[in-house]
Structures are given as C-alpha cells and as structure tokens.
Amino acid sequence: MKNVVIHQIVTFIFTEDQLRAYWEKQRGATPFGRLDDREYMKLAEDMLQHSSHSQLEQHVLGGRWRIKEEAEGNVIAEDESRGDRHVEIIDTDAPAEPRRRMLIDRMREIECPHCTFAFYVRRAVDGRRDWTCPSCGTPFDDTTSQQK
C-alpha cells in the first residue's frame, strides 16, 4: 500500500484507498494507477486542502484512525520544497527505514505560561510579545519564546 504522509506540525496520513476514492470522485482523466509520484502527492495535498475539520480527524496520526505503522516503510518519494511542510510517499509493504526527525522551519513556537500549551505561528513578527493562548484563552506577554 502506498500512503502519503504530510508532516505539518500535525502529521496527516492519506491511505491509498482514500486517495483512490477521492480521485474517482474528482473524475480524473488519468487512471489512478498511472499517477506519477508528484501527482500522487499533489492529490493528497488537494484532499488535505478540501477536507473539513471533521474529515481531517480520520487522517491525523495518533488519532482514532491512523497509527504509526501507516507512516512506516520504504520512502518512495518526498517533497521538501517548502519549509512548513514535508510530504512523502511511503510503501508500507516494504521494510521500515530508520526515520529521521522532521524539522519544520519558519515557525515560531510559543508556550502559554498559564497552561503550558504550545502553539506555532508562521511569519510571526519578531518584536511581538502580546499573545492570547488558543487553548485557555488567557492573554500573556511572551518574553521567553523561542524561534523554531
């Protein structure tokens, strides 16, 4: 099975069966089995972009449906062209390769001093220090956040 894994702070897994069903619903001109690696990854990103929050639940690694074994195997292709996203096609039928840690750059990690919830901001203004925690809703002045 060829699953597409998208690492973007949260890791999303789009299984081959899910991608096939999405392709057939889109009525693509090319047969699904003839998509090249670039088209296959683009299809998964399109599915990610057009999924509702409730639909995304079924793709989140560690959630109720996706397990880590679905993101392990032989890496067939990958796209590292963007700093905030890493996309790869993994053949889960092949033996797992040693994993390397995914680093998503151009993101700033900010930790709430009240509830310790960490959130990430893209293109954050360097001088900004006033934040509101998306988890507990408490405003705070951040003087110790780290650039990631």
Side-chain angles (χ1 to χ4, degrees), residues 17-146:
D17 291 338
Q18 289 170 324
L19 290 168
R20 181 179 286 111
Y22 185 72
W23 181 252
E24 289 171 2
K25 184 178 177 185
Q26 300 299 318
R27 294 190 176 109
T30 307
F32 179 78
R34 290 195 180 150
L35 294 177
D36 65 26
D37 293 341
R38 185 183 54 77
E39 293 169 320
Y40 200 70
M41 290 186 283
K42 185 175 168 56
L43 178 64
E45 290 186 273
D46 185 68
M47 190 173 176
L48 173 67
Q49 189 72 27
H50 292 96
S51 294
S52 68
H53 289 286
S54 59
Q55 290 170 327
L56 286 176
E57 273 189 86
Q58 64 184 300
H59 302 290
V60 176
L61 177 63
R64 292 186 287 184
W65 289 281
R66 302 281 72 91
I67 58 175
K68 68 179 182 133
E69 288 79 15
E70 293 175 304
E72 294 177 349
N74 182 36
V75 177
I76 298 171
E78 57 188 325
D79 177 1
E80 296 181 287
S81 64
R82 289 155 299 186
D84 65 340
R85 180 179 295 179
H86 177 89
V87 182
E88 54 194 12
I89 301 174
I90 297 180
D91 180 356
T92 59
D93 295 328
E97 296 176 342
R99 301 294 294 168
R100 60 189 165 99
R101 187 168 178 242
M102 291 292 131
L103 296 175
I104 310 298
D105 61 4
R106 298 183 202 102
M107 301 291 277
R108 181 173 178 193
E109 179 182 50
I110 301 167
E111 186 173 304
C112 175
H114 304 285
C115 69
T116 67
F117 177 79
F119 58 99
Y120 299 86
V121 180
R122 189 180 344 198
R123 294 184 290 276
V125 178
D126 288 332
R128 182 174 176 181
R129 296 287 181 217
D130 58 321
W131 301 100
T132 300
C133 177
S135 179
C136 70
T138 307
F140 63 94
D141 180 36
D142 174 44
T143 57
T144 60
S145 66
Q146 298 176 1

